[in-house]
Amino acid sequence: MKNKSRFLAAPYAVWMLIFTIVPLGIVAFYAFTDAGGSFTLENITSIGSYFPIFLRSIWYSIAAALICLLIGYPVAYYIAQCKPTTQRFLYMLIMLPMCMSFLLRTLAWVALLDDTGIINSLVTHFGLKPLPLTRNPFAVISGMVYNYLPYMIMPLYTVLMKLDRRLIEASQDLGCRPSQTFFRVILPLSVPGIVSGVTMVFVPAVSTFYISQKLGSTSTIMIGDIIESQYKTAYNPNLGAALSLVLMALIFICVGIMNRFTSSDEEEGMMTL
């Protein structure tokens, strides 16, 4: 039986080896070599000059994840309370934007927020000055929220839909107010969905580059833009690989911290039930 399980897992192991381990090995090789293929630490040591951009990318991504959580949790909770037919319909509406190209969704947001876009056209129609909706952190973060909000709603909805309703009924029978039931029963039990949603938003947001290019400016440049420029304009794949390697390490650290703290909070919440 054990050998059969290993045999069934072999295709996945081969897939991971070819499309994950080998590419990471190539990235690591370029990160620690120069243009001639000789070993060097220059690429790693030069990353310090990009530290503020790393911090900006992390800050924008955390802000986007928190906003997605504030918007997505009530939406997921509402969908989970609906009838099964309504749930499927609303879930389809959440999934529908993801069927479109990521580039088209971002360009649609540009058309909405641009100086000559839909919002500013309405503003100027009433004789007011155009609003500065693009080329600032607000535009970049709002673009992330717009593109990655479904990644927050889906895991939250999955967890909330599977909650044991008997626990909610028991808290109500014991005299808990709706707010107490939410904070002492529903919220602690939905922590796994919160962790999954925050992770699914944070990881693609911290490495994004197209959103910041279309909605931001030189003051809102993110680390994904720097990595892209090393391969397209600066022609320095070794530095680009080093930046990618450090970014991957930072993502693992941030996700590990989030999982550690949320696991502790979940245990404490369960002990209070």
Side-chain angles (χ1 to χ4, degrees):
M1 187 66 179
K2 190 175 181 180
N3 293 333
K4 184 178 180 180
S5 299
R6 290 179 178 179
F7 176 77
L8 294 176
Y12 175 74
V14 174
W15 176 275
M16 290 293 294
L17 176 64
I18 297 176
F19 295 103
T20 302
I21 304 301
V22 173
L24 287 178
I26 295 174
V27 170
F29 171 79
Y30 274 93
F32 291 98
T33 56
D34 55 19
S38 302
F39 176 80
T40 180
L41 294 176
E42 183 178 355
N43 299 319
I44 302 297
T45 56
S46 62
I47 290 178
S49 58
Y50 299 100
F51 186 71
I53 302 178
F54 274 107
L55 290 181
R56 182 188 302 141
S57 301
I58 294 174
W59 160 242
Y60 285 1
S61 303
I62 292 176
L66 292 178
I67 295 173
C68 285
L69 178 60
L70 293 176
I71 298 174
Y73 197 102
V75 174
Y77 184 79
Y78 173 77
I79 297 175
Q81 304 305 312
C82 295
K83 297 178 180 179
T85 304
T86 307
Q87 287 185 19
R88 289 191 291 269
F89 174 73
L90 294 176
Y91 192 81
M92 182 194 67
L93 292 181
I94 298 298
M95 293 283 294
L96 192 60
M98 300 178 63
C99 299
M100 297 173 56
S101 169
F102 176 83
L103 304 182
L104 291 179
R105 298 201 306 269
T106 304
L107 290 176
W109 202 243
V110 173
L112 184 67
L113 301 180
D114 199 28
D115 294 339
T116 58
I118 298 174
I119 295 178
N120 276 320
S121 295
L122 293 175
V123 171
T124 55
H125 178 74
F126 292 101
L128 301 175
K129 293 183 179 179
L131 300 174
L133 299 179
T134 57
R135 296 181 294 278
N136 52 48
F138 164 79
V140 176
I141 295 175
S142 63
M144 292 179 182
V145 173
Y146 171 70
N147 278 286
Y148 302 128
L149 182 58
Y151 297 111
M152 177 66 71
I153 296 176
M154 289 188 294
L156 284 173
Y157 163 74
T158 302
V159 171
L160 291 171
M161 184 184 63
K162 296 180 180 179
L163 289 182
D164 191 344
R165 302 298 172 185
R166 294 174 298 179
L167 296 176
I168 300 176
E169 294 174 358
S171 68
Q172 294 172 347
D173 293 339
L174 292 172
C176 288
R177 296 189 299 272
S179 59
Q180 292 177 318
T181 299
F182 176 77
F183 285 106
R184 302 189 64 177
V185 179
I186 299 175
L187 186 61
L189 293 176
S190 61
V191 167
I194 295 175
V195 176
S196 298
V198 170
T199 302
M200 291 177 66
V201 173
F202 175 81
V203 171
V206 76
S207 58
T208 189
F209 59 92
Y210 191 76
I211 295 175
S212 54
Q213 289 179 4
K214 293 300 180 181
L215 296 171
S217 64
T218 54
S219 61
T220 59
I221 190 171
M222 298 181 64
I223 194 62
D225 301 306
I226 301 297
I227 295 174
E228 185 201 25
S229 67
Q230 298 303 317
Y231 287 96
K232 283 190 174 182
T233 57
Y235 303 108
N236 190 353
N238 300 92
L239 179 58
L243 291 169
S244 301
L245 198 64
V246 172
L247 177 61
M248 182 180 63
L250 288 176
I251 290 175
F252 282 137
I253 292 173
C254 292
V255 171
I257 292 174
M258 286 189 292
N259 289 334
R260 187 176 185 85
F261 277 97
T262 49
S263 296
S264 300
D265 292 341
E266 183 181 5
E267 292 174 1
E268 293 175 0
M270 292 300 295
M271 292 176 63
T272 61
L273 295 179

